[in-house]
Coordinates of all heavy atoms in Angstrom, one line a residue:
M1 N -16.8 -111.0 100.6 CA -15.8 -110.0 100.9 C -16.2 -109.4 102.2 O -17.3 -108.8 102.4 CB -15.7 -109.0 99.8 CG -14.8 -107.8 100.1 SD -14.8 -106.6 98.8 CE -13.8 -107.4 97.6
E2 N -15.3 -109.4 103.2 CA -15.5 -108.8 104.5 C -15.2 -107.3 104.4 O -14.5 -106.8 103.5 CB -14.6 -109.4 105.5 CG -14.9 -110.9 105.8 CD -16.1 -111.2 106.6 OE1 -16.5 -110.4 107.5 OE2 -16.8 -112.2 106.3
L3 N -15.6 -106.5 105.4 CA -15.5 -105.1 105.3 C -14.0 -104.7 105.3 O -13.6 -103.8 104.5 CB -16.2 -104.4 106.5 CG -16.2 -102.9 106.5 CD1 -16.9 -102.4 105.3 CD2 -16.9 -102.4 107.8
H4 N -13.1 -105.4 106.1 CA -11.7 -105.0 106.0 C -11.1 -105.3 104.7 O -10.2 -104.6 104.2 CB -11.0 -105.8 107.2 CG -10.9 -107.2 107.0 ND1 -11.9 -108.1 107.4 CD2 -9.9 -108.0 106.5 CE1 -11.5 -109.3 107.1 NE2 -10.3 -109.3 106.6
Q5 N -11.6 -106.3 104.0 CA -11.1 -106.6 102.6 C -11.6 -105.6 101.6 O -10.9 -105.2 100.7 CB -11.7 -108.0 102.2 CG -11.1 -109.2 103.0 CD -11.8 -110.5 102.7 OE1 -13.0 -110.5 102.6 NE2 -11.0 -111.5 102.4
L6 N -12.8 -105.0 101.9 CA -13.3 -103.9 101.0 C -12.4 -102.7 101.2 O -12.1 -102.1 100.2 CB -14.7 -103.6 101.3 CG -15.4 -102.4 100.6 CD1 -15.4 -102.6 99.1 CD2 -16.8 -102.2 101.1
R7 N -12.1 -102.4 102.4 CA -11.2 -101.2 102.7 C -9.9 -101.4 101.9 O -9.4 -100.5 101.3 CB -10.9 -101.1 104.2 CG -12.0 -100.5 104.9 CD -11.6 -100.2 106.4 NE -12.7 -99.8 107.2 CZ -13.2 -100.6 108.1 NH1 -12.7 -101.7 108.4 NH2 -14.3 -100.2 108.8
H8 N -9.3 -102.6 102.0 CA -8.0 -102.8 101.4 C -8.1 -102.8 99.9 O -7.3 -102.1 99.2 CB -7.5 -104.2 101.8 CG -6.2 -104.6 101.2 ND1 -5.0 -104.0 101.5 CD2 -5.9 -105.5 100.2 CE1 -4.0 -104.5 100.8 NE2 -4.6 -105.4 100.0
A9 N -9.2 -103.4 99.3 CA -9.4 -103.4 97.9 C -9.6 -102.0 97.4 O -9.1 -101.6 96.3 CB -10.6 -104.3 97.5
A10 N -10.4 -101.2 98.1 CA -10.7 -99.8 97.7 C -9.4 -99.0 97.6 O -9.3 -98.1 96.7 CB -11.7 -99.2 98.6
S11 N -8.5 -99.2 98.4 CA -7.3 -98.4 98.4 C -6.2 -98.9 97.4 O -5.3 -98.2 97.0 CB -6.6 -98.4 99.8 OG -6.2 -99.7 100.2
H12 N -6.4 -100.2 96.9 CA -5.4 -100.8 96.0 C -5.9 -101.1 94.6 O -5.1 -101.2 93.7 CB -4.8 -102.0 96.6 CG -4.0 -101.8 97.8 ND1 -4.5 -101.7 99.1 CD2 -2.6 -101.6 97.9 CE1 -3.5 -101.4 100.0 NE2 -2.4 -101.4 99.3
Q13 N -7.2 -101.2 94.4 CA -7.8 -101.6 93.1 C -8.6 -100.4 92.6 O -9.7 -100.3 93.0 CB -8.6 -102.8 93.2 CG -7.8 -104.0 93.6 CD -8.7 -105.3 93.6 OE1 -9.8 -105.3 93.2 NE2 -8.1 -106.4 94.1
H14 N -8.0 -99.6 91.8 CA -8.7 -98.4 91.3 C -9.7 -98.7 90.3 O -10.6 -97.9 90.0 CB -7.7 -97.4 90.8 CG -6.7 -97.0 91.8 ND1 -7.0 -96.2 92.9 CD2 -5.4 -97.3 92.0 CE1 -5.9 -96.1 93.7 NE2 -4.9 -96.7 93.1
E15 N -9.7 -99.9 89.7 CA -10.7 -100.3 88.7 C -11.9 -101.0 89.3 O -12.7 -101.6 88.5 CB -10.0 -101.1 87.6 CG -9.0 -100.3 86.8 CD -8.4 -101.1 85.7 OE1 -9.1 -102.0 85.2 OE2 -7.3 -100.8 85.2
M16 N -12.0 -101.1 90.6 CA -13.1 -101.8 91.2 C -14.4 -101.0 91.2 O -14.4 -99.8 91.4 CB -12.8 -102.1 92.7 CG -13.8 -102.9 93.4 SD -13.3 -103.3 95.1 CE -13.4 -101.7 95.9
E17 N -15.5 -101.6 90.8 CA -16.8 -101.0 90.7 C -17.6 -101.4 92.0 O -17.7 -102.6 92.2 CB -17.5 -101.4 89.5 CG -18.9 -100.7 89.3 CD -19.5 -101.0 88.0 OE1 -19.0 -100.6 86.9 OE2 -20.6 -101.7 88.0
V18 N -18.1 -100.5 92.7 CA -18.9 -100.7 93.9 C -20.3 -100.4 93.6 O -20.6 -99.3 93.1 CB -18.3 -99.9 95.1 CG1 -19.2 -100.2 96.3 CG2 -16.9 -100.3 95.4
R19 N -21.2 -101.3 94.0 CA -22.6 -101.1 93.8 C -23.4 -101.3 95.0 O -23.1 -102.2 95.8 CB -23.2 -102.2 92.8 CG -22.5 -102.2 91.5 CD -23.1 -103.3 90.6 NE -22.3 -103.4 89.4 CZ -21.7 -104.5 89.0 NH1 -21.7 -105.5 89.7 NH2 -21.1 -104.5 87.8
V20 N -24.4 -100.5 95.2 CA -25.5 -100.7 96.2 C -26.7 -101.2 95.5 O -27.2 -100.5 94.6 CB -25.8 -99.4 97.0 CG1 -26.9 -99.7 98.0 CG2 -24.6 -98.8 97.7
V21 N -27.0 -102.5 95.7 CA -28.0 -103.2 94.9 C -29.3 -103.4 95.6 O -29.2 -103.9 96.8 CB -27.4 -104.6 94.4 CG1 -28.4 -105.3 93.6 CG2 -26.1 -104.4 93.7
R22 N -30.4 -103.1 95.0 CA -31.7 -103.4 95.5 C -32.5 -104.2 94.5 O -32.5 -103.8 93.3 CB -32.4 -102.1 95.8 CG -33.7 -102.4 96.6 CD -34.5 -101.2 96.8 NE -35.7 -101.4 95.8 CZ -36.6 -100.5 95.6 NH1 -36.5 -99.3 96.1 NH2 -37.6 -100.7 94.8
N23 N -33.1 -105.3 94.9 CA -34.0 -106.1 94.0 C -35.3 -105.3 93.8 O -35.7 -104.6 94.8 CB -34.2 -107.4 94.6 CG -34.9 -108.4 93.7 OD1 -36.1 -108.2 93.4 ND2 -34.2 -109.3 93.2
T24 N -35.9 -105.4 92.7 CA -37.1 -104.6 92.4 C -38.2 -104.9 93.3 O -39.1 -104.1 93.5 CB -37.5 -104.7 90.9 OG1 -37.7 -106.1 90.6 CG2 -36.5 -104.1 90.0
L25 N -38.3 -106.2 93.8 CA -39.4 -106.6 94.7 C -39.0 -106.5 96.2 O -39.9 -106.8 97.0 CB -39.8 -108.0 94.4 CG -40.4 -108.2 92.9 CD1 -40.8 -109.6 92.7 CD2 -41.6 -107.3 92.7
S26 N -37.9 -106.0 96.5 CA -37.4 -106.1 97.9 C -37.0 -104.7 98.4 O -36.7 -103.8 97.6 CB -36.2 -107.0 98.0 OG -35.6 -106.8 99.2
H27 N -37.0 -104.5 99.6 CA -36.6 -103.2 100.2 C -35.3 -103.4 101.0 O -34.9 -102.7 101.9 CB -37.6 -102.6 101.2 CG -38.9 -102.2 100.4 ND1 -38.9 -101.1 99.6 CD2 -40.1 -102.8 100.4 CE1 -40.1 -101.0 99.1 NE2 -40.9 -102.0 99.5
I28 N -34.5 -104.5 100.6 CA -33.3 -104.8 101.2 C -32.2 -104.5 100.2 O -32.3 -104.7 99.0 CB -33.2 -106.3 101.6 CG1 -34.3 -106.7 102.5 CG2 -31.8 -106.7 102.1 CD1 -34.2 -106.1 103.9
Y29 N -31.1 -103.9 100.8 CA -29.9 -103.5 100.0 C -28.7 -104.3 100.3 O -28.6 -104.8 101.4 CB -29.6 -102.0 100.2 CG -30.7 -101.0 99.8 CD1 -31.7 -100.7 100.7 CD2 -30.7 -100.4 98.6 CE1 -32.7 -99.9 100.4 CE2 -31.7 -99.5 98.2 CZ -32.7 -99.3 99.1 OH -33.7 -98.4 98.8
Q30 N -27.9 -104.6 99.3 CA -26.7 -105.3 99.4 C -25.6 -104.5 98.7 O -25.8 -103.8 97.8 CB -26.7 -106.7 98.8 CG -27.5 -107.7 99.7 CD -27.4 -109.1 99.1 OE1 -27.9 -109.4 98.1 NE2 -26.6 -109.9 99.8
I31 N -24.3 -104.7 99.2 CA -23.2 -104.0 98.6 C -22.5 -105.1 97.8 O -22.2 -106.2 98.3 CB -22.3 -103.4 99.6 CG1 -23.0 -102.3 100.3 CG2 -21.0 -102.9 98.9 CD1 -22.2 -101.7 101.5
E32 N -22.2 -104.8 96.5 CA -21.5 -105.7 95.6 C -20.3 -105.0 95.0 O -20.4 -103.9 94.6 CB -22.5 -106.2 94.5 CG -22.0 -107.1 93.5 CD -23.0 -107.5 92.5 OE1 -23.1 -106.8 91.5 OE2 -23.8 -108.5 92.8
C33 N -19.2 -105.7 94.9 CA -18.0 -105.2 94.3 C -17.6 -106.0 93.1 O -17.7 -107.3 93.1 CB -16.9 -105.2 95.3 SG -17.3 -104.3 96.8
E34 N -17.2 -105.4 92.0 CA -16.7 -106.1 90.8 C -15.3 -105.5 90.5 O -15.1 -104.3 90.3 CB -17.6 -105.9 89.7 CG -17.2 -106.6 88.4 CD -18.2 -106.6 87.3 OE1 -19.4 -106.2 87.5 OE2 -17.8 -106.9 86.2
T35 N -14.3 -106.4 90.3 CA -13.0 -106.0 90.0 C -12.9 -105.8 88.5 O -13.8 -106.2 87.7 CB -12.0 -107.0 90.4 OG1 -12.2 -108.2 89.8 CG2 -12.0 -107.2 92.0
G36 N -11.8 -105.2 88.0 CA -11.6 -105.0 86.6 C -11.6 -106.3 85.8 O -11.9 -106.3 84.6
S37 N -11.2 -107.4 86.5 CA -11.2 -108.7 85.8 C -12.6 -109.4 85.8 O -12.7 -110.5 85.2 CB -10.2 -109.7 86.5 OG -10.6 -109.9 87.8
G38 N -13.6 -108.7 86.3 CA -15.0 -109.3 86.3 C -15.4 -110.1 87.5 O -16.5 -110.6 87.5
D39 N -14.6 -110.3 88.5 CA -14.9 -111.0 89.7 C -15.9 -110.2 90.5 O -15.6 -109.0 90.8 CB -13.7 -111.4 90.5 CG -12.7 -112.3 89.8 OD1 -13.2 -113.2 89.0 OD2 -11.5 -112.1 90.0
R40 N -17.0 -110.8 90.9 CA -18.0 -110.1 91.7 C -18.1 -110.8 93.1 O -18.1 -112.0 93.2 CB -19.4 -110.2 91.1 CG -19.6 -109.3 89.9 CD -21.1 -109.4 89.5 NE -21.3 -108.5 88.3 CZ -22.4 -108.3 87.8 NH1 -23.5 -108.8 88.4 NH2 -22.5 -107.5 86.7
Q41 N -18.2 -109.9 94.1 CA -18.3 -110.4 95.5 C -19.3 -109.5 96.2 O -19.2 -108.3 96.0 CB -17.0 -110.4 96.2 CG -16.0 -111.4 95.6 CD -14.7 -111.5 96.5 OE1 -14.6 -110.8 97.4 NE2 -13.8 -112.4 96.1
K42 N -20.1 -110.1 97.1 CA -21.0 -109.3 97.9 C -20.4 -109.1 99.3 O -19.6 -110.0 99.8 CB -22.3 -110.0 98.0 CG -23.0 -110.0 96.7 CD -24.4 -110.4 96.8 CE -25.0 -110.3 95.4 NZ -26.4 -110.6 95.3
L43 N -20.6 -108.0 99.9 CA -20.1 -107.7 101.2 C -20.7 -108.7 102.2 O -21.9 -108.9 102.2 CB -20.4 -106.2 101.6 CG -19.8 -105.7 102.9 CD1 -18.3 -105.7 102.8 CD2 -20.3 -104.4 103.2
S44 N -19.9 -109.2 103.1 CA -20.3 -110.1 104.1 C -19.7 -109.8 105.5 O -18.8 -109.0 105.6 CB -20.0 -111.6 103.7 OG -18.6 -111.7 103.7
R45 N -20.3 -110.3 106.5 CA -19.9 -110.1 107.9 C -19.8 -111.5 108.5 O -20.9 -112.2 108.6 CB -20.8 -109.2 108.6 CG -20.2 -108.9 110.0 CD -21.1 -107.8 110.7 NE -21.1 -106.6 109.9 CZ -22.2 -105.9 109.6 NH1 -23.4 -106.2 110.0 NH2 -22.1 -104.7 108.9
R46 N -18.7 -112.0 108.9 CA -18.5 -113.3 109.5 C -19.0 -114.4 108.6 O -19.6 -115.3 109.0 CB -19.1 -113.4 110.9 CG -18.4 -112.5 111.9 CD -19.1 -112.6 113.3 NE -18.8 -111.4 114.0 CZ -19.8 -110.6 114.4 NH1 -21.1 -110.9 114.2 NH2 -19.5 -109.5 115.1
G47 N -18.8 -114.2 107.3 CA -19.2 -115.2 106.3 C -20.7 -115.2 105.9 O -21.1 -116.0 105.1
K48 N -21.5 -114.3 106.5 CA -22.9 -114.2 106.1 C -23.1 -112.9 105.4 O -22.5 -111.9 105.6 CB -23.8 -114.2 107.4 CG -23.7 -115.5 108.1 CD -24.6 -115.5 109.3 CE -24.5 -116.8 110.1 NZ -25.3 -116.8 111.3
P49 N -24.0 -112.9 104.4 CA -24.3 -111.7 103.6 C -24.7 -110.5 104.5 O -25.5 -110.6 105.4 CB -25.4 -112.0 102.7 CG -25.5 -113.5 102.7 CD -24.9 -114.0 104.0
C50 N -24.2 -109.3 104.2 CA -24.6 -108.1 104.8 C -25.8 -107.6 104.1 O -25.8 -107.3 102.9 CB -23.5 -107.0 104.8 SG -22.1 -107.3 105.9
L51 N -26.9 -107.4 104.9 CA -28.1 -106.9 104.3 C -28.5 -105.6 105.0 O -28.3 -105.5 106.3 CB -29.3 -107.9 104.5 CG -29.1 -109.3 103.9 CD1 -30.2 -110.2 104.2 CD2 -28.9 -109.2 102.4
F52 N -28.9 -104.6 104.3 CA -29.2 -103.3 104.9 C -30.7 -103.0 104.6 O -31.2 -103.2 103.5 CB -28.3 -102.2 104.2 CG -26.8 -102.6 104.4 CD1 -26.1 -103.2 103.4 CD2 -26.2 -102.2 105.6 CE1 -24.8 -103.5 103.6 CE2 -24.8 -102.5 105.7 CZ -24.1 -103.2 104.7
R53 N -31.3 -102.4 105.6 CA -32.7 -102.1 105.5 C -33.0 -100.7 104.8 O -34.0 -100.5 104.3 CB -33.4 -102.0 106.9 CG -33.5 -103.3 107.5 CD -34.2 -103.2 108.8 NE -34.2 -104.5 109.5 CZ -34.3 -104.7 110.8 NH1 -34.3 -103.7 111.6 NH2 -34.4 -105.9 111.2
S54 N -31.9 -99.9 104.7 CA -32.0 -98.7 104.0 C -30.8 -98.4 103.2 O -29.7 -98.9 103.5 CB -32.3 -97.5 105.0 OG -31.1 -97.2 105.7
I55 N -30.9 -97.5 102.2 CA -29.7 -97.1 101.4 C -28.8 -96.3 102.3 O -27.5 -96.4 102.1 CB -30.2 -96.3 100.2 CG1 -29.0 -96.2 99.2 CG2 -30.7 -95.0 100.6 CD1 -29.4 -95.8 97.9
D56 N -29.3 -95.6 103.3 CA -28.4 -94.9 104.2 C -27.4 -95.8 105.0 O -26.3 -95.5 105.2 CB -29.2 -94.0 105.2 CG -29.9 -92.9 104.5 OD1 -29.5 -92.4 103.4 OD2 -31.0 -92.5 105.0
E57 N -28.0 -96.9 105.5 CA -27.1 -97.9 106.2 C -26.0 -98.4 105.3 O -24.9 -98.5 105.7 CB -27.9 -99.0 106.7 CG -28.9 -98.7 107.8 CD -29.7 -100.0 108.2 OE1 -29.3 -101.1 107.9 OE2 -30.7 -99.8 108.9
A58 N -26.3 -98.7 104.0 CA -25.3 -99.2 103.1 C -24.3 -98.2 102.8 O -23.1 -98.5 102.8 CB -26.0 -99.7 101.8
I59 N -24.7 -97.0 102.6 CA -23.8 -95.9 102.3 C -22.9 -95.6 103.5 O -21.7 -95.3 103.3 CB -24.6 -94.6 101.8 CG1 -25.1 -94.9 100.5 CG2 -23.7 -93.4 101.8 CD1 -26.1 -93.8 100.0
D60 N -23.4 -95.6 104.7 CA -22.5 -95.5 105.9 C -21.4 -96.5 105.9 O -20.3 -96.1 106.2 CB -23.4 -95.6 107.1 CG -24.2 -94.3 107.4 OD1 -24.0 -93.3 106.7 OD2 -25.2 -94.4 108.2
Q61 N -21.7 -97.7 105.5 CA -20.7 -98.8 105.5 C -19.6 -98.4 104.4 O -18.4 -98.6 104.7 CB -21.3 -100.1 105.2 CG -22.0 -100.7 106.3 CD -21.1 -101.2 107.4 OE1 -20.1 -101.8 107.2 NE2 -21.4 -100.8 108.6
L62 N -20.1 -97.9 103.3 CA -19.1 -97.6 102.2 C -18.3 -96.4 102.6 O -17.0 -96.4 102.4 CB -19.9 -97.3 100.9 CG -20.5 -98.5 100.3 CD1 -21.3 -98.1 99.1 CD2 -19.5 -99.6 99.9
L63 N -18.9 -95.4 103.2 CA -18.1 -94.2 103.6 C -17.1 -94.6 104.7 O -15.9 -94.1 104.6 CB -19.0 -93.1 104.1 CG -19.9 -92.4 103.1 CD1 -20.9 -91.5 103.7 CD2 -19.0 -91.6 102.1
G64 N -17.4 -95.5 105.6 CA -16.5 -96.0 106.6 C -15.3 -96.8 106.0 O -14.3 -96.8 106.6
A65 N -15.6 -97.4 104.8 CA -14.5 -98.1 104.2 C -13.7 -97.2 103.2 O -12.8 -97.7 102.6 CB -15.1 -99.3 103.4
G66 N -14.0 -96.0 103.2 CA -13.2 -95.0 102.3 C -13.7 -95.0 100.9 O -13.0 -94.5 100.0
I67 N -14.9 -95.5 100.6 CA -15.4 -95.4 99.2 C -16.1 -94.1 99.0 O -16.9 -93.7 99.8 CB -16.4 -96.6 99.0 CG1 -15.9 -97.9 99.4 CG2 -17.0 -96.5 97.6 CD1 -14.8 -98.4 98.5
S68 N -15.7 -93.4 97.9 CA -16.3 -92.0 97.7 C -17.4 -92.0 96.7 O -18.1 -91.0 96.6 CB -15.2 -91.1 97.3 OG -14.6 -91.6 96.1
H69 N -17.5 -93.0 95.9 CA -18.6 -93.1 94.9 C -19.0 -94.6 94.7 O -18.2 -95.5 94.9 CB -18.2 -92.4 93.6 CG -17.1 -93.1 92.9 ND1 -15.8 -92.9 93.2 CD2 -17.1 -94.0 91.9 CE1 -15.0 -93.6 92.4 NE2 -15.8 -94.3 91.6
A70 N -20.3 -94.7 94.2 CA -20.8 -96.1 94.0 C -21.9 -96.0 93.0 O -22.5 -94.9 92.8 CB -21.3 -96.7 95.3
W71 N -22.2 -97.1 92.4 CA -23.4 -97.2 91.5 C -24.6 -97.6 92.4 O -24.5 -98.6 93.2 CB -23.2 -98.3 90.5 CG -22.2 -97.9 89.4 CD1 -20.9 -98.1 89.4 CD2 -22.5 -97.2 88.2 NE1 -20.3 -97.6 88.3 CE2 -21.3 -97.0 87.5 CE3 -23.7 -96.7 87.7 CZ2 -21.2 -96.3 86.3 CZ3 -23.6 -96.0 86.5 CH2 -22.4 -95.8 85.8
I72 N -25.7 -97.0 92.2 CA -27.0 -97.4 92.9 C -27.7 -98.2 91.8 O -28.0 -97.6 90.7 CB -27.8 -96.2 93.3 CG1 -26.9 -95.2 94.2 CG2 -29.0 -96.6 94.0 CD1 -26.4 -95.9 95.5
V73 N -28.0 -99.4 92.1 CA -28.6 -100.3 91.1 C -29.9 -101.0 91.6 O -29.9 -101.4 92.7 CB -27.5 -101.4 90.8 CG1 -28.1 -102.4 89.8 CG2 -26.2 -100.8 90.3
R74 N -30.8 -101.0 90.7 CA -32.0 -101.8 90.9 C -31.9 -103.0 90.0 O -31.7 -102.9 88.8 CB -33.3 -101.1 90.6 CG -33.6 -100.0 91.6 CD -35.0 -99.5 91.3 NE -35.1 -98.2 91.9 CZ -36.0 -97.3 91.6 NH1 -36.9 -97.5 90.7 NH2 -36.0 -96.1 92.2
Q75 N -32.1 -104.2 90.5 CA -32.0 -105.4 89.7 C -33.4 -106.0 89.5 O -34.2 -106.1 90.4 CB -31.1 -106.5 90.4 CG -29.7 -106.2 90.2 CD -28.8 -107.3 90.8 OE1 -29.2 -108.1 91.5 NE2 -27.5 -107.3 90.3
S76 N -33.6 -106.6 88.3 CA -34.9 -107.2 88.0 C -35.0 -108.5 88.7 O -34.0 -109.3 88.8 CB -34.9 -107.4 86.5 OG -36.0 -108.2 86.1
E77 N -36.1 -108.8 89.2 CA -36.4 -110.1 89.9 C -36.3 -111.3 89.0 O -35.8 -112.3 89.4 CB -37.8 -110.1 90.6 CG -38.1 -111.3 91.4 CD -37.3 -111.6 92.6 OE1 -36.7 -110.6 93.2 OE2 -37.2 -112.8 93.0
E78 N -36.8 -111.1 87.8 CA -36.9 -112.3 86.9 C -35.5 -112.8 86.5 O -35.2 -114.0 86.6 CB -37.6 -111.9 85.6 CG -39.1 -111.6 85.8 CD -39.3 -110.1 86.0 OE1 -38.6 -109.3 85.4 OE2 -40.3 -109.8 86.7
D79 N -34.6 -112.0 86.0 CA -33.3 -112.5 85.5 C -32.1 -111.9 86.2 O -31.0 -112.2 85.8 CB -33.3 -112.2 84.0 CG -33.3 -110.7 83.6 OD1 -33.4 -109.9 84.5 OD2 -33.4 -110.4 82.4
G80 N -32.3 -111.0 87.2 CA -31.1 -110.5 87.9 C -30.4 -109.4 87.1 O -29.3 -108.9 87.6
S81 N -30.9 -109.0 86.0 CA -30.3 -107.9 85.2 C -30.5 -106.5 85.9 O -31.5 -106.4 86.6 CB -30.7 -107.9 83.8 OG -32.1 -107.6 83.7
D82 N -29.7 -105.6 85.6 CA -29.8 -104.2 86.1 C -31.0 -103.5 85.4 O -30.9 -103.4 84.2 CB -28.5 -103.4 86.0 CG -27.4 -104.0 86.7 OD1 -27.6 -104.9 87.6 OD2 -26.3 -103.5 86.5
S83 N -32.0 -103.1 86.1 CA -33.1 -102.4 85.5 C -32.8 -100.9 85.5 O -33.4 -100.2 84.7 CB -34.4 -102.7 86.2 OG -34.4 -102.3 87.5
S84 N -32.0 -100.4 86.4 CA -31.5 -99.0 86.4 C -30.2 -98.9 87.2 O -30.0 -99.7 88.1 CB -32.6 -98.1 87.0 OG -32.7 -98.3 88.4
R85 N -29.4 -98.0 86.7 CA -28.1 -97.7 87.3 C -27.8 -96.2 87.4 O -28.2 -95.5 86.5 CB -27.0 -98.4 86.5 CG -26.9 -99.8 86.5 CD -25.9 -100.4 85.5 NE -24.6 -99.8 85.5 CZ -23.6 -100.3 86.1 NH1 -23.7 -101.4 86.7 NH2 -22.4 -99.6 86.1
R86 N -27.2 -95.8 88.5 CA -26.9 -94.4 88.6 C -25.6 -94.3 89.5 O -25.6 -94.8 90.6 CB -28.1 -93.7 89.3 CG -27.8 -92.2 89.5 CD -29.0 -91.6 90.1 NE -28.8 -90.2 90.3 CZ -29.6 -89.4 90.9 NH1 -30.7 -89.8 91.4 NH2 -29.3 -88.1 91.1
L87 N -24.6 -93.6 88.9 CA -23.4 -93.4 89.6 C -23.5 -92.1 90.5 O -24.0 -91.1 90.0 CB -22.2 -93.2 88.7 CG -20.8 -93.0 89.3 CD1 -20.4 -94.2 90.1 CD2 -19.8 -92.6 88.2
V88 N -23.2 -92.3 91.8 CA -23.4 -91.1 92.7 C -22.1 -90.9 93.5 O -21.4 -91.8 93.8 CB -24.6 -91.4 93.7 CG1 -25.9 -91.4 92.9 CG2 -24.4 -92.6 94.5
Q89 N -21.9 -89.7 93.9 CA -20.9 -89.3 94.9 C -21.5 -89.5 96.3 O -22.6 -89.0 96.6 CB -20.6 -87.8 94.7 CG -19.3 -87.4 95.4 CD -18.1 -87.9 94.7 OE1 -18.1 -88.4 93.6 NE2 -17.0 -87.8 95.4
L90 N -20.9 -90.3 97.1 CA -21.5 -90.7 98.4 C -21.7 -89.6 99.4 O -22.5 -89.7 100.3 CB -20.8 -91.9 99.0 CG -20.8 -93.1 98.1 CD1 -20.1 -94.3 98.8 CD2 -22.2 -93.5 97.8
G91 N -21.0 -88.5 99.3 CA -21.2 -87.4 100.2 C -22.6 -86.7 100.0 O -23.0 -85.9 100.9
N92 N -23.3 -87.0 98.9 CA -24.6 -86.3 98.6 C -25.8 -87.2 99.1 O -26.7 -87.4 98.4 CB -24.7 -86.1 97.1 CG -23.7 -85.2 96.6 OD1 -23.2 -84.3 97.3 ND2 -23.3 -85.3 95.4
V93 N -25.7 -87.7 100.4 CA -26.7 -88.6 100.9 C -28.1 -88.0 100.8 O -29.1 -88.6 100.4 CB -26.4 -89.1 102.3 CG1 -27.5 -89.9 102.9 CG2 -25.1 -89.9 102.2
P94 N -28.4 -86.7 101.2 CA -29.8 -86.2 101.2 C -30.4 -86.3 99.8 O -31.5 -86.6 99.6 CB -29.6 -84.7 101.7 CG -28.4 -84.8 102.5 CD -27.5 -85.8 101.9
Q95 N -29.6 -86.0 98.7 CA -30.1 -86.1 97.4 C -30.4 -87.5 97.0 O -31.3 -87.8 96.3 CB -29.1 -85.5 96.4 CG -28.9 -84.0 96.5 CD -27.9 -83.4 95.6 OE1 -27.2 -84.1 94.9 NE2 -27.9 -82.1 95.5
L96 N -29.6 -88.5 97.5 CA -29.8 -89.9 97.2 C -31.2 -90.3 97.8 O -31.9 -91.0 97.1 CB -28.8 -90.7 97.9 CG -27.5 -91.0 97.1 CD1 -26.6 -91.8 98.0 CD2 -27.8 -91.7 95.8
A97 N -31.5 -89.9 99.0 CA -32.8 -90.3 99.6 C -34.0 -89.9 98.7 O -34.9 -90.6 98.6 CB -32.9 -89.7 101.0
I98 N -33.8 -88.7 98.1 CA -34.9 -88.2 97.2 C -34.9 -89.0 95.9 O -36.0 -89.3 95.4 CB -34.7 -86.7 97.0 CG1 -34.9 -85.9 98.3 CG2 -35.7 -86.2 95.9 CD1 -34.5 -84.5 98.2
A99 N -33.7 -89.3 95.4 CA -33.6 -89.9 94.1 C -34.1 -91.4 94.1 O -34.6 -91.9 93.1 CB -32.2 -89.9 93.5
I100 N -33.9 -92.1 95.2 CA -34.2 -93.5 95.2 C -35.5 -93.7 95.9 O -36.5 -93.8 95.9 CB -33.1 -94.3 96.0 CG1 -31.8 -94.0 95.4 CG2 -33.4 -95.7 96.1 CD1 -31.6 -94.5 94.0

């Protein structure tokens, strides 16, 4: 999913869940979207995955796309399951830096 597609989906699909995902062994973040029907897509740029070095970079992309809240997720390296999840309001970036 490209950024312009995320903007469009955010304004038209109210049941879409947006996640900022970090693997437990990595310091790289990715943005993942899941629609109400269960389809998952990761944010990409020119067909390549968007990778962010910090949670702030990922949040800036979401705010620019008009996303006001997202799940912050840590995924287990072994099986890819969510080891922790937290729903946050994206305007509270300073608190996020402390929480994560």
Side-chain angles (χ1 to χ4, degrees):
M1 172 181 287
E2 298 283 329
L3 187 59
H4 68 278
Q5 294 171 314
L6 175 61
R7 283 188 191 111
H8 179 71
S11 64
H12 291 85
Q13 295 182 11
H14 301 291
E15 294 183 24
M16 183 176 69
E17 182 176 295
V18 178
R19 301 179 185 120
V20 178
V21 179
R22 188 188 108 187
N23 190 287
T24 54
L25 297 179
S26 171
H27 295 288
I28 301 294
Y29 296 85
Q30 286 186 288
I31 295 172
E32 181 179 89
C33 304
E34 182 175 344
T35 62
S37 62
D39 295 326
R40 285 187 182 187
Q41 294 186 357
K42 293 190 177 185
L43 188 63
S44 61
R45 186 174 297 133
R46 295 182 204 115
K48 296 182 180 178
C50 286
L51 302 175
F52 304 95
R53 292 183 181 153
S54 73
I55 194 167
D56 293 333
E57 289 179 16
I59 289 171
D60 286 345
Q61 285 290 312
L62 292 175
L63 288 171
I67 306 292
S68 60
H69 63 278
W71 288 92
I72 306 301
V73 178
R74 286 189 204 164
Q75 284 186 339
S76 171
E77 178 67 25
E78 294 95 30
D79 60 4
S81 65
D82 296 350
S83 60
S84 69
R85 290 172 47 100
R86 181 177 179 186
L87 182 62
V88 296
Q89 194 73 15
L90 295 182
N92 297 331
V93 175
Q95 291 180 353
L96 272 178
I98 294 169
I100 302 300

